Amino acid sequence: MPFQLGTWCIWPRALSRRWNARAAYPLIERLDPRSAFGYAATGERHLWQETAFRHIAAACLMYLLLLTHFGVNGMDVVLLIVLFFCLVAVEALNRAIKSIVDHLAHDWQVSARDAWDLGLLAAMCLLCANAAFIAADLAGSLAEK
């Protein structure tokens, strides 16, 4: 029995024989892993244009070499890689915030400035967490030797 709302009659779509999920939601066809990987690769290309991301990638490689040179255990290297991926995710969200703010706020606005500042704060907090982990790991490694 349909739900009556004024003059509108709402039938559940699941009861309709002619309802096609692919026709109703065209994104269903595009949500396969290959497409998701392609979207992620496109996002990575956009992120690579950011100077901060290139510096983060270079610093991560340098710290990985430094940690392996001092002979830290494998779990610390895995933790550094996880922290690096968290930093990349925050940097990508920061870039998305910047893009949206640039698109929506053509002139200077307080809310646009606040959005930029909060995105940068999130990235800086994770940068500090990475630096603290690396410093503690190197200090522990040097103390053992």
Side-chain angles (χ1 to χ4, degrees), residues 63 80 83 87 124-139:
Y63 289 138
L80 177 68
L83 282 172
L87 184 58
M124 186 187 72
C125 288
L126 208 46
L127 277 170
C128 291
N130 279 321
F133 169 74
I134 291 166
D137 206 14
L138 287 178

Side-chain angles (χ1 to χ4, degrees), residues 29-96:
E29 293 178 359
R30 290 189 244 162
L31 292 180
D32 64 300
R34 293 173 301 203
S35 295
F37 180 75
Y39 296 143
T42 303
E44 190 271 331
R45 283 195 300 270
H46 288 295
L47 194 58
W48 191 254
Q49 295 171 357
E50 285 281 321
T51 305
F53 175 71
R54 292 193 302 267
H55 289 167
I56 289 168
C60 181
L61 289 176
M62 181 184 72
Y63 289 138
L64 279 173
L65 292 174
L66 189 65
L67 289 179
T68 54
H69 174 71
F70 282 107
V72 298
N73 62 5
M75 196 60 171
D76 290 340
V77 173
V78 169
L79 189 56
L80 177 68
I81 291 171
V82 168
L83 282 172
F84 168 71
F85 280 128
C86 290
L87 184 58
V88 168
V90 168
E91 196 64 40
L93 291 173
N94 188 24
R95 169 76 189 233

